Amino acid sequence: MIFVSGLTTAQVQIIGHRGASYLAPENTVASAKLAWELGADAVEVDIYLTADNKVMCLHDANTKRTTGRDHNIKETSSKILRKLDAGSFKDEKYKGEKIPFLKDVIKSIPEGKELVVELKCGSEVLPFLKRDIDRYGKNRRFVFICFDFQTITDTRKIFPANSCYWLCSNRELFNKNLPLVPKADLQGVSLSYSIITPEVAEMVSNMDMELFVWTVNNTEEAQRLIGLGVKGITTDRPGWLREQLAGQ
């Protein structure tokens, strides 16, 4: 076990990116369950609001890449979306895996684990997200993240008991918006590993905020980031990365 910046690798949260997406079809219940089985501390999923106001898990605004069928989420009812095969694109053994409702993933969360929900749409999803969290999320842990600053600010107001983080992959935009993060009562930032330098990490630390990173599938890069004090690492390979770090 290595010791860096007062942290050990065991103290850094390992977050499954869209589940265990290196092995299973991203943003599906199968991918989430596999990530839990592989020891992920948390699973990250992406959400959109459908035409009939259902919260569903998908990274893209359109279903073409992962299902082969061309549907825009916000213009399509959940009944149509649920008929699509969201598993075969990854492996034939996952044929028939569906685009899940967020509630399906929520039900998979084991005790003591956490679900990181990335809002891919705007604040219009919030009333329906709150409905699902209130109905299915009792005694479960949630974190919310978003690239759009206004949306994550609105999310924090709706979920004052949950941690919320602003996502960013652009250094210029990071420098511009960082002073606004504590003013919006956000707990910190989640950044692309490519823009995290010692200077960036120090800026976040000096503001007494938390720093998370995505998407890291390289052991050396993970070690570098742990050394800079990141609290959590999002990875496509949660089981593998934990094993690699534990062996250092």
Side-chain angles (χ1 to χ4, degrees):
M1 186 174 293
I2 59 175
F3 290 81
V4 282
S5 295
L7 294 174
T8 69
T9 55
Q11 293 173 303
V12 175
Q13 191 178 39
I14 301 297
I15 304 162
H17 184 231
R18 309 176 197 172
S21 57
Y22 182 80
L23 299 172
E26 62 183 63
N27 278 311
T28 61
V29 172
S31 189
K33 286 184 175 179
L34 182 57
W36 304 129
E37 292 169 7
L38 293 173
D41 300 302
V43 161
E44 178 265 352
V45 293
D46 307 287
I47 63 165
Y48 281 96
L49 188 65
T50 68
D52 55 340
N53 294 326
K54 302 295 184 181
V55 184
M56 298 189 75
C57 299
L58 197 73
H59 177 270
D60 302 353
N62 184 282
T63 62
K64 181 71 173 179
R65 178 175 65 87
T66 56
T67 72
R69 301 298 181 89
D70 189 5
H71 296 284
N72 292 325
I73 301 293
K74 68 178 182 179
E75 299 169 356
T76 310
S77 75
S78 59
K79 290 182 180 180
I80 293 174
L81 296 171
R82 288 286 286 175
K83 293 178 181 178
L84 305 179
D85 176 2
S88 294
F89 83 98
K90 186 68 174 180
D91 192 297
E92 189 64 23
K93 70 180 180 180
Y94 289 109
K95 182 177 180 179
E97 191 72 22
K98 299 180 183 298
I99 300 173
F101 292 112
L102 177 62
K103 66 181 182 181
D104 299 328
V105 179
I106 290 175
K107 292 175 182 178
S108 80
I109 306 172
E111 184 177 355
K113 302 294 187 176
E114 190 171 77
L115 188 65
V116 180
V117 180
E118 179 177 345
L119 285 72
K120 285 293 188 182
C121 51
S123 297
E124 69 275 3
V125 75
L126 290 174
F128 307 99
L129 176 58
K130 189 175 189 306
R131 174 198 63 192
D132 285 355
I133 297 292
D134 289 348
R135 186 175 299 175
Y136 304 104
K138 186 178 180 180
N139 299 322
R140 290 182 166 98
R141 293 161 48 192
F142 299 92
V143 166
F144 302 102
I145 58 177
C146 188
F147 281 96
D148 183 73
F149 199 87
Q150 185 60 57
T151 300
I152 196 61
T153 300
D154 294 342
T155 303
R156 176 62 177 159
K157 294 175 182 177
I158 297 295
F159 296 98
N162 299 88
S163 295
C164 295
Y165 301 87
W166 175 55
L167 289 167
C168 186
S169 59
N170 180 283
R171 179 62 187 274
E172 183 177 347
L173 184 60
F174 167 79
N175 290 337
K176 176 183 176 181
N177 279 358
L178 184 62
L180 303 178
V181 173
K183 294 179 182 178
D185 194 32
L186 305 180
Q187 282 60 53
V189 294
S190 182
L191 306 178
S192 169
Y193 74 89
S194 62
I195 70 167
I196 298 182
T197 62
E199 179 188 15
V200 165
E202 185 176 12
M203 289 169 66
V204 176
S205 178
N206 287 343
M207 297 182 74
D208 198 27
M209 294 189 301
E210 296 172 348
L211 175 60
F212 286 78
V213 60
W214 47 272
T215 302
V216 180
N217 298 314
N218 178 280
T219 307
E220 291 73 22
E221 183 62 20
Q223 289 174 323
R224 180 184 77 87
L225 294 161
I226 292 170
L228 293 178
V230 300
K231 183 177 179 181
I233 297 174
T234 301
T235 175
D236 297 325
R237 309 179 69 181
W240 175 86
L241 185 59
R242 184 180 293 286
E243 290 176 0
Q244 292 297 307
L245 292 172
Q248 299 300 313

